[in-house]
Amino acid sequence: MRKYETITLETPTPHVLTIVMDRPSAANAMNTQMGLELMEVFEGFLVDTQDLRCLILTGRGDKAFCAGGDLKERKGMTDKQWLSQHAIFERMVRAIVGCPLPLVAAVNGAAYGGGCEVTAACDFVYASETARFALPEVTLGIMPGAGGTQNLARAVGARRAKELILSGTPFSAAEAAEWGLVNKVCAPETLIQEAEAIATRIAENAPISVRQAKQSIQRGLDMSIWDGLAFEIEAYNRMVPTSDRYEGVLAYNEKRKPRFKGE
């Protein structure tokens, strides 16, 4: 497994990969190198899922998930340099949103700016009780530009997203759960364990089924109900001739746990 400068890849259980944003001395803030490395990892899954079935994204330490863009690196950037860096972040977020594998965010601390945007781009979110969220870009003379206006609005609704983005007001893990951004709030000491448990459960299911179901939900939300139903059945039909479909039915009748191969 390739080594990176700003992220660490870990395999806690079979078929599960944990991607750790690993700049704890900088609150895991996203510099250009981290953007490039996350972009490379997630774009790679579009080509080859590498026998993986579920991903976890988290930050190193217990203080920060990701503090957003590294403003120390950005100090003194020319307009051209700023736009060039941001193009990397845009491509990175598109790769995260387009990732074919289920992606669980385990938010272990502050998720501000780009950190909150990355959170919203994941499939679902477990958060520590100590996690805090904010999209404060308007207080810096910019606005969310890594999917925040789109993914947060889809998670919490347009009115709540406008309130949070236009004011830049921070909010807690409990509020994030109440509004729909966070699925589960965990004790800090059990967050990773609980994220690994749900990821492992997902990884035990038929991988083609999981990927097709994810795609059907995600793409269907942007369609009419009738187009969504048509897309769903096309996704469903992909599984009828698979060996995993035969194995699932056989295992049920033989009263045993299925052995899925992703074929």
Side-chain angles (χ1 to χ4, degrees), residues 16-192:
V16 174
L17 179 70
T18 299
I19 303 164
V20 183
M21 293 178 283
D22 208 341
R23 300 184 71 222
S25 62
N28 300 319
M30 194 171 297
N31 61 4
T32 302
Q33 185 65 25
M34 183 183 285
L36 287 168
E37 291 177 356
L38 288 171
M39 181 182 74
E40 178 182 314
V41 168
F42 281 100
E43 287 188 344
F45 296 136
L46 296 170
V47 178
D48 181 5
T49 56
Q50 306 169 31
D51 199 34
L52 295 170
R53 300 182 183 181
C54 193
L55 309 171
I56 299 169
L57 180 64
T58 192
R60 181 69 68 197
D62 58 4
K63 302 295 184 185
F65 173 74
C66 174
D70 189 334
L71 296 181
K72 290 184 179 179
E73 183 185 54
R74 283 179 158 180
K75 183 180 179 181
M77 276 188 176
T78 65
D79 292 352
K80 183 178 180 181
Q81 289 169 330
W82 187 293
L83 291 171
S84 178
Q85 183 199 55
H86 203 272
I88 293 168
F89 295 160
E90 294 163 28
R91 185 167 156 183
M92 174 202 74
V93 167
R94 283 168 171 75
I96 291 173
V97 172
C99 180
L101 295 166
L103 175 58
V104 183
V107 181
N108 53 303
Y112 278 33
C116 187
E117 291 183 286
V118 167
T119 299
C122 293
D123 290 313
F124 60 92
V125 181
Y126 282 15
S128 166
E129 294 167 346
T130 60
R132 295 279 291 173
F133 303 84
L135 286 166
E137 284 86 347
V138 296
T139 71
L140 299 170
I142 51 175
M143 62 170 274
T149 62
Q150 303 304 302
N151 292 318
L152 187 68
R154 283 165 168 76
V156 306
R159 290 183 180 276
R160 182 70 69 185
K162 288 176 185 176
E163 176 189 18
L164 297 172
I165 292 170
L166 303 185
S167 68
T169 303
F171 53 101
S172 68
E175 289 171 320
E178 179 185 349
W179 299 334
L181 176 62
V182 165
N183 295 66
K184 186 176 185 179
V185 178
C186 309
E189 62 272 16
T190 66
L191 171 65
I192 297 301

Side-chain angles (χ1 to χ4, degrees), residues 170-241:
F171 53 101
S172 68
E175 289 171 320
E178 179 185 349
W179 299 334
L181 176 62
V182 165
N183 295 66
K184 186 176 185 179
V185 178
C186 309
E189 62 272 16
T190 66
L191 171 65
I192 297 301
Q193 178 184 346
E194 294 188 60
E196 289 175 357
I198 191 65
T200 299
R201 179 162 184 165
I202 291 170
E204 289 173 346
N205 294 326
I208 297 173
S209 301
V210 169
R211 292 197 301 267
Q212 291 292 93
K214 169 180 169 170
Q215 183 173 213
S216 185
I217 295 167
Q218 195 152 322
R219 294 186 180 276
L221 287 171
D222 294 324
M223 300 178 184
S224 71
I225 182 63
W226 301 109
D227 289 338
L229 288 169
F231 188 90
E232 178 187 75
I233 202 62
E234 290 301 321
Y236 177 96
N237 288 342
R238 164 71 176 86
M239 285 162 287
V240 173

